[in-house]
Structure formats: structure tokens, C-alpha cells
Amino acid sequence: MIELIFKTLACSGLFIAFYLLILQREKMFAFNRFYLIATLLLSFAIPFMEFGMNQMENVPVVAEVIPVEIAKNDINIAELVAQKNVEKQTISTAGSSQSTFNWWILVPLIYLVLTLVMLLRFISNLLNLFVMTRMNDRIQKQGFTIVSVKTDISTFSFFNYLFVPKNEIHSERIQPEIFRHELAHMKQKHSFDVLLIEFLKIFFWFNPFLYMYKKSIQTNHEFLADAEVLNQNLDTVHYQRLLLEKVSAKSQTALASPFNYLVTKKRFIMMTKKTSRMKTIALKLFSIPLLVITMLVFSEKVSAQVQPGKGVSKEMFREYKKQVRKATVKVKNADGTKTEKIQTENLDTELLANIYNQMSDEQKLKVKPLPQNKSFNLNLGDLGVHLGNLGVELGDMGVDLGNINVDLGDLGVELGNLGVDLGDMFSSPEFLDLIAGINIDSEEIQKYADSPEMQKKIKEIEKKAAEIEKYYDSPEFNKKIKDIEDRAAEIEKYYDSPEFKKKIEDIERKAAEIEKYYDSPEFQNKIKEIERKAEEMGKEAEKKAAEAERKAKKA
């Protein structure tokens, strides 16, 4: 589970980094929306994907050493290992009267509590929108509904509902551009994207890249809505002034698409930015290798063909990796460095060793072997001792040789005192055959590394790397980089200039004057006078209609 979580974090981190560094700077908003949603879902799916790999040819076959009863029940290997581990854990725990508290058992509890908090927050946001919809007046339009909110809020949309302050509806202060902006959100179904990211945050709140995804998705929504408004031949400067009037507006709910979510300065840049068609196509194609590489690196690799004698089953292979990973810890060395060590105290080493021995060479390259037992089993045959020459019959003594397992380290016996010649043992034909078998793999690897095919591939890689390096060092590429930096500096300089700041101040001042006029008693009296006259005209019209109806009845 930990491995899957880390893979998910790595995938989402790579995908959002590519977007923030490359894609978000270009004007291709529809593709960016597809990229963000697709990679968000892929980052959770890739760790569970499996890609088959062809079995290597001419690999020495490892003889099956797993007993028949284990091979027939390899699917239940997790239960066997877990059962034996529990037994060993119980024995080791019973031997210690005092043990330190394991704080890791609190991790699931903390996760459940915070997940519950996020779920309640999600439900609360939905209920707030539901209550806001039911408790306020609604005006049905073609394809959407306007909710006249009594409180002072900023205009926002959620699915087919447009939430607008009631005072703005009565005073007719909502500009057509604002309506078109929010209608673009509703038409393009942006609320589905926000709802998806908020739902994922319930269970994966610990993933920091999800929050970057949410900000990027909502930012891109604003780009899309701005583009939809400006495509209707509206004045860009006038539209930008409207945005400046809404600069202080705040979002009302995490589930809605607020009007002024993005920094106004960045939206202004995107309104005037142009991206060439060739550059757009190149960036889209460049994102494909990123997806493929991420899938290959973080997906699960399995052998396409697992045959008897050529490897263990997928379930057994995964269980071996799981058990070894749990038992692996980092140990600090004397020089300050850290190395990984497999603690075999709570493992069924015999069962796992049998699994490892049955693996193919390809599978063995993907896992860690168990450390060899340091105990030394005394074999009287290796010592050249024949009990028959001593006139001793072990059967008469009731001794079973299979039950004898002598650990010389525990007995404190020195081999030199027994007269054992280790030089003869290590120079024996059996020992030399064993060493030769171990060296087979290294010789084959070295042979392949020295082959013309491998050398050709290395030369091609070096050639391509040299070409890329040459292009990056070329005056043409450096000129493009310098042009981009100069343009960015000019834009930054303009936005920091006194002229631009003066324009902003003038717009804010005019907006304040208009706001002051709308709130003045004079304007309010005019509104009341208009309402009074409208009411009188309505009564007069009703009176005339009643008179006409009465005359019609007499006639």
C-alpha cells in the first residue's frame, strides 16, 4: 500500500510539474483542461496498471525446488506467510515483558479522522448550495436558473445555477459580459471538474499535488470563460475594466466557479497572448512521451509468460516482494552512511527461500534475495569422518541424523581444533562447479555489453545527446530564450510603470464614484419615484381594463 501511495504521489507530481512549467504558459486552454483531468485520473490508475514483458530467451532454467503442496496452493501464499509470521511475532512478543509503544498504529486512525472531516466539509458545501437555492427566489431562464440571493455575495455559478445578489438584479447593475462569462462556465460544465477534484481530496487529502491541480483547473476555467466572452467581438479593454471592478470579490464556496478566482494580471496577459499553431501541436505531441515514460516507470511489470521452471506465479512473486519490503530497514554504518538490511526474525525464511529459488533470472533481478544464515551445519561427510570405521551404528543408538543440526558458533568450536582443512574443501570440484554456475550470469551480461549491437545503441544515444546539446548551445536557441526573457521583462516593466498604475487608480476612482452615486439618497429617490409611477400606471391600467370589461358585459 505504501508503494502504491508513493507511486501515485510521484505520478501526480510529474504531471502537474510539466503543466506548470510548460503548458500553462500557452494559449491552448481546451487541451490544457483535457490534460489536467486525464493526468489526474491516470496518476491514480498507473500504479495499478500491468505491462507484460517478454520472457528472456536462452536463460538457464532454475530447477523447481518448491514442494508440491506449496506449488499447488501458490495463490494462498499470503495466508501461509502471514500465519507463520504471526506465530513468530507472538513468540518474540511473549519473550519480552516490556515493549515500546508503536506509534504507527495511530496512522490509520488519524487518516480516518481527517478523511471524515473532509467528507463532512464536502457535504456541508453541497448543503449550503442546496439551502441557498431553496431559500432564495429563483428566476427560470432558457437553459439555466438565476438565484436571487438576499445576502451580499459575489456572482458565481454552479452547474446550471447562477447565483446573483438581489440588489444587483433590482438595480440592473449586472453587466452583460458578466452573464456571458458565467454562462460559459455553465455551458462547458466546469462544475464537474471542480466536483471531481473535491471528491478526490476527501480520500487523498495528504497529496499536496491535488491542491495544485485544483488551482490550475479553476485557473484554466477562467481562461476558457474569458476566451468565450472575447470571441463575441467585445472590447478587450472594456472587459478588463469590468474585471478590475471585481478584483476584491471572494469565492463563496469551494464547489463553485467564482467570477474572480485568478489573479487579474495573469488573465490580462492571457487575453492578449498568441500561440502559433505549430508550437501548440509540438507541445501536445511532447506530452505523449511523458505519459508513456511515466506508465513504464511506475506501472507494475509482470512476465507475459510464466511457465513451470521459468518463474513463479504473479501472486507468489508479489507476496515475496511484499514480505521482503516489510522486513527491510535502514541501518546506520560506522562511517555515517546508511544501508538497507533485511530483518529475517519475523519471516518464514524457508518458505521465502523456496520461492526465490523457483524464480526466473528475470524475476530475481527485480527482488532482493534473503541474507544467508550465518549458522554452520556440521556435515561429517565433509570432514571425512566415516562412522562405520569407528564401529558405531547410529540406528542401534536411536539417533536420527536428520534431526542433528550442529551450530558451531553456539558451541564455541573452532574448526582448526577439529583438524578440518578448509583449503581442501574450497578447492574441491563440487565447490568450483558452484562458483562457475554463479559466474554464468555475469559473463552473459558482460558478453551482451561488449556486443556490436549494444555498442551501436550506445553510439546512437551519444550522437543524439550531442545533437541536442549542440542545439541548446546554438545562437538560434539562445536568441529565442533571450527574446522570451526580453518580452517578459517588457510586460513586467509595463505593469510596474506609473502609467499603468495611474490607469488602475483612475478606474478604481471612477468605480468608487459610480458606487457612491448608486448608494446616494438622490439615486434612491429616483428609483422610488420610478417604482411609484410604475405602480400608479399599473393601477390605472387595471382600472381601465375593469371599465372596459364592465362595458363589454352591458353591451
Side-chain angles (χ1 to χ4, degrees):
M1 179 59 69
I2 299 298
E3 181 181 358
L4 293 176
I5 291 174
F6 280 124
K7 286 184 177 181
T8 301
L9 291 173
C11 290
S12 57
L14 285 175
F15 288 143
I16 195 62
F18 179 77
Y19 173 80
L20 294 175
L21 295 175
I22 306 295
L23 297 182
Q24 78 160 350
R25 302 181 180 182
E26 305 303 330
K27 198 171 184 178
M28 46 184 196
F29 309 134
F31 174 80
N32 285 351
R33 182 188 183 189
F34 168 77
Y35 173 87
L36 287 169
I37 298 301
T39 55
L40 176 62
L41 297 176
L42 280 175
S43 62
F44 291 96
I46 286 176
F48 295 94
M49 292 182 179
E50 294 182 352
F51 286 91
M53 301 178 64
N54 294 328
Q55 193 73 264
M56 293 191 299
E57 298 180 357
N58 300 326
V59 176
V61 178
V62 181
E64 290 190 26
V65 296
I66 295 183
V68 177
E69 61 270 20
I70 296 177
K72 289 181 178 179
N73 299 282
D74 53 354
I75 297 179
N76 297 325
I77 190 68
E79 298 178 3
L80 293 175
V81 176
Q83 181 179 358
K84 296 207 172 190
N85 287 347
V86 169
E87 293 174 358
K88 292 191 175 184
Q89 184 69 30
T90 304
I91 295 173
S92 60
T93 306
S96 175
S97 58
Q98 295 180 350
S99 59
T100 58
F101 180 71
N102 186 5
W103 291 98
W104 283 102
I105 62 177
L106 294 178
V107 173
L109 180 61
I110 295 173
Y111 172 80
L112 290 176
V113 171
L114 292 179
T115 300
L116 181 61
V117 170
M118 296 298 289
L119 177 61
L120 294 175
R121 171 181 172 273
F122 180 76
I123 296 174
S124 175
N125 287 328
L126 287 177
L127 289 177
N128 287 338
L129 288 174
F130 179 79
V131 171
M132 192 180 296
T133 304
R134 296 300 175 188
M135 298 297 294
N136 294 282
D137 297 333
R138 297 186 297 276
I139 304 173
Q140 293 293 335
K141 297 291 183 180
Q142 186 176 0
F144 66 98
T145 302
I146 297 178
V147 180
S148 179
V149 184
K150 299 175 183 178
T151 57
D152 187 17
I153 64 169
S154 62
T155 303
F156 68 92
S157 60
F158 183 69
F159 286 103
N160 290 330
Y161 288 92
L162 178 59
F163 296 84
V164 184
K166 187 174 183 178
N167 59 346
E168 291 191 6
I169 294 178
H170 288 176
S171 60
E172 297 182 355
R173 289 165 53 191
I174 302 179
Q175 296 84 353
E177 291 83 358
I178 305 302
F179 266 116
R180 291 171 183 172
H181 181 98
E182 295 303 326
L183 286 175
H185 282 309
M186 292 185 282
K187 180 182 176 181
Q188 298 175 17
K189 309 297 182 184
H190 292 167
S191 296
F192 281 110
D193 302 351
V194 179
L195 207 59
L196 172 64
I197 192 72
E198 287 294 329
F199 180 77
L200 291 175
K201 281 170 59 179
I202 296 174
F203 304 99
F204 302 98
W205 47 264
F206 54 85
N207 187 348
F209 303 111
L210 277 184
Y211 302 90
M212 296 182 185
Y213 262 102
K214 181 185 177 182
K215 183 177 180 181
S216 299
I217 288 172
Q218 290 189 302
T219 297
N220 192 63
H221 287 170
E222 298 304 316
F223 290 158
L224 286 165
D226 290 340
E228 182 74 14
V229 174
L230 295 177
N231 284 340
Q232 300 178 18
N233 298 322
L234 296 177
D235 184 18
T236 303
V237 177
H238 175 67
Y239 182 63
Q240 289 176 343
R241 289 177 179 174
L242 292 180
L243 294 181
L244 287 173
E245 291 180 9
K246 302 291 182 178
V247 118
S248 61
K250 295 183 180 180
S251 174
Q252 301 300 316
T253 173
L255 299 178
S257 294
F259 176 74
N260 189 37
Y261 180 82
L262 184 63
V263 178
T264 307
K265 178 179 175 181
K266 185 179 292 187
R267 292 174 69 177
F268 284 1
I269 295 174
M270 281 300 175
M271 289 179 195
T272 57
K273 186 178 181 63
K274 292 184 179 180
T275 302
S276 65
R277 179 179 176 82
M278 291 301 297
K279 186 175 183 181
T280 300
I281 295 174
L283 289 175
K284 291 178 181 179
L285 294 176
F286 188 68
S287 62
I288 296 176
L290 173 68
L291 296 175
V292 174
I293 293 173
T294 306
M295 288 182 183
L296 293 177
V297 172
F298 295 103
S299 61
E300 185 72 19
K301 287 84 175 176
V302 296
S303 178
Q305 297 178 350
V306 180
Q307 301 176 357
K310 293 187 178 180
V312 297
S313 65
K314 181 172 62 177
E315 293 82 3
M316 189 179 293
F317 181 73
R318 285 181 174 176
E319 186 59 32
Y320 180 91
K321 288 177 61 178
K322 177 182 177 182
Q323 296 298 328
V324 173
R325 184 171 60 249
K326 285 183 177 180
T328 302
V329 295
K330 288 188 177 181
V331 180
K332 191 173 183 180
N333 301 324
D335 56 357
T337 60
K338 293 184 178 180
T339 57
E340 291 186 347
K341 178 183 177 182
I342 300 176
Q343 294 181 340
T344 59
E345 291 80 5
N346 298 324
L347 293 177
D348 187 348
T349 54
E350 181 181 357
L351 181 60
L352 294 177
N354 286 335
I355 297 175
Y356 181 81
N357 290 334
Q358 194 187 11
M359 290 182 187
S360 65
D361 285 5
E362 182 184 2
Q363 290 176 326
K364 288 182 179 180
L365 292 174
K366 301 175 184 178
V367 297
K368 298 177 182 178
L370 295 178
Q372 297 295 327
N373 197 341
K374 295 182 179 181
S375 62
F376 186 89
N377 295 329
L378 180 61
N379 190 333
L380 297 179
D382 295 338
L383 299 178
V385 179
H386 299 282
L387 295 178
N389 297 335
L390 301 176
V392 179
E393 289 294 332
L394 295 180
D396 298 337
M397 300 172 62
V399 179
D400 186 0
L401 286 175
N403 297 329
I404 298 178
N405 184 16
V406 182
D407 191 339
L408 296 182
D410 298 336
L411 299 176
V413 179
E414 295 292 334
L415 290 177
N417 299 335
L418 297 176
V420 179
D421 189 352
L422 294 179
D424 294 339
M425 185 188 302
F426 294 147
S427 61
S428 64
E430 293 80 3
F431 185 79
L432 294 177
D433 290 341
L434 178 62
I435 296 300
I438 295 173
N439 290 333
I440 288 176
D441 292 343
S442 60
E443 291 174 0
E444 289 181 356
I445 295 173
Q446 185 64 36
K447 182 179 179 182
Y448 177 71
D450 296 336
S451 64
E453 179 184 0
M454 185 63 182
Q455 296 299 324
K456 183 180 178 182
K457 290 182 180 179
I458 292 175
K459 289 181 180 179
E460 290 177 355
I461 295 172
E462 292 175 348
K463 182 180 177 182
K464 291 180 181 179
E467 292 176 355
I468 295 173
E469 185 177 0
K470 182 179 178 182
Y471 174 70
Y472 285 151
D473 294 336
S474 65
E476 178 185 0
F477 183 78
N478 290 327
K479 186 176 181 300
K480 290 181 180 179
I481 296 298
K482 189 175 184 303
D483 291 342
I484 294 172
E485 292 175 348
D486 292 342
R487 290 177 186 175
E490 290 175 1
I491 295 172
E492 188 72 24
K493 182 179 178 182
Y494 174 70
Y495 284 131
D496 294 335
S497 64
E499 178 185 358
F500 182 76
K501 292 180 179 179
K502 187 175 182 301
K503 289 182 180 180
I504 298 297
E505 291 176 357
D506 292 341
I507 294 172
E508 291 177 347
R509 179 178 54 79
K510 290 179 181 179
E513 291 175 357
I514 294 172
E515 185 74 21
K516 183 178 179 181
Y517 174 70
Y518 284 155
D519 295 336
S520 64
E522 178 184 359
F523 184 78
Q524 296 297 328
N525 292 333
K526 287 183 179 180
I527 295 297
K528 290 179 180 179
E529 183 67 21
I530 292 172
E531 291 176 351
R532 185 182 62 77
K533 288 182 179 180
E535 186 178 355
E536 291 177 355
M537 291 175 65
K539 290 180 180 180
E540 185 68 23
E542 290 178 358
K543 184 177 179 182
K544 289 181 179 180
E547 183 68 24
E549 185 179 357
R550 187 169 58 255
K551 289 180 179 180
K553 287 181 179 181
K554 288 181 179 181

